[in-house]
Amino acid sequence: MSALTHFDSKGNAIMVDVGNKPTTARKAVAEGVIQVSPQVMDAILRGRAAKGDVLGVARVAGIMAAKRTSDLIPLCHPLPIDKCSIEFFPQEERGCVKVQCTVHTESRTGVEMEALTGVGVALLTVYDMCKALDKSMIISDIRLLQKDGGKSGAYRAPEQFDQSEA
């Protein structure tokens, strides 16, 4: 485990100096899940939610959030995002929607936090748009799937145990 970089020798929080790092291509992919009732799934898939196109609005919200990550999370660097996409994978039989956010940049630091923020806000937006139908939705399993670029190189998340197969 490497040392934490967001603290100085006195334990004070600092923004990491990336000024001397080379600019390189960076990519991160994150995912998360929202469990929903059959009623909510039907509203999402058939466009019957009172607030409108749930996944369309959640996509825009996730992209906007990824672009604003440095405004939301202390000590994150503002980054020029070259590409950000949000994809939805409804799994009607499991009663959930998986969300993935992919972010690309050419910068001195990675975009993991941007991808994670994009997923989180997209999921929260699904909740917000459907809460009139059911407030028992569960947001879970937000995690980094992969990252590429930078000094630490590539990362791929280990496969998770699928509880539905237990």
Side-chain angles (χ1 to χ4, degrees):
M1 169 116 20
S2 43
L4 297 175
T5 57
H6 285 83
F7 298 97
D8 66 15
S9 60
K10 296 176 184 174
N12 297 311
I14 59 168
M15 189 174 199
V16 175
D17 183 358
V18 297
N20 292 325
K21 292 173 73 176
T23 297
T24 60
R26 313 287 185 128
K27 175 184 174 183
V29 181
E31 73 174 4
V33 174
I34 186 165
Q35 296 174 343
V36 300
S37 67
Q39 180 186 14
V40 170
M41 183 65 77
D42 184 68
I44 290 171
L45 295 178
R46 286 155 192 69
R48 295 188 183 141
K51 288 188 173 184
D53 177 8
V54 173
L55 301 184
V57 173
R59 175 175 285 113
V60 172
I63 292 168
M64 289 175 65
K67 292 168 45 175
R68 300 295 302 265
T69 298
S70 66
D71 293 334
L72 300 170
I73 305 208
L75 311 179
C76 279
H77 292 85
L79 297 176
I81 293 179
D82 296 326
K83 180 180 181 187
C84 180
S85 63
I86 303 278
E87 298 297 325
F88 298 96
F89 304 94
Q91 299 174 358
E92 194 167 5
E93 67 287 350
R94 293 181 70 187
C96 68
V97 178
K98 184 185 287 188
V99 177
Q100 273 190 5
C101 178
T102 303
V103 182
H104 297 261
T105 190
E106 292 269 339
S107 190
R108 292 183 166 106
T109 191
V111 286
E112 297 92 333
M113 295 309 301
E114 286 73 11
L116 289 162
T117 300
V119 165
V121 170
L123 289 166
L124 288 167
T125 302
V126 170
Y127 185 97
D128 179 56
M129 294 192 69
C130 297
K131 69 182 184 250
L133 295 171
D134 182 8
K135 292 175 181 48
S136 69
M137 293 173 279
I138 300 170
I139 294 171
S140 65
D141 300 321
I142 297 174
R143 69 181 183 138
L144 180 67
L145 284 180
Q146 74 177 71
K147 77 151 247 12
D148 292 299
K151 189 168 101 173
S152 65
Y155 166 82
R156 300 294 180 267
E159 291 296 319
Q160 287 188 321
F161 173 70
D162 187 351
Q163 294 177 356
S164 69
E165 298 175 5

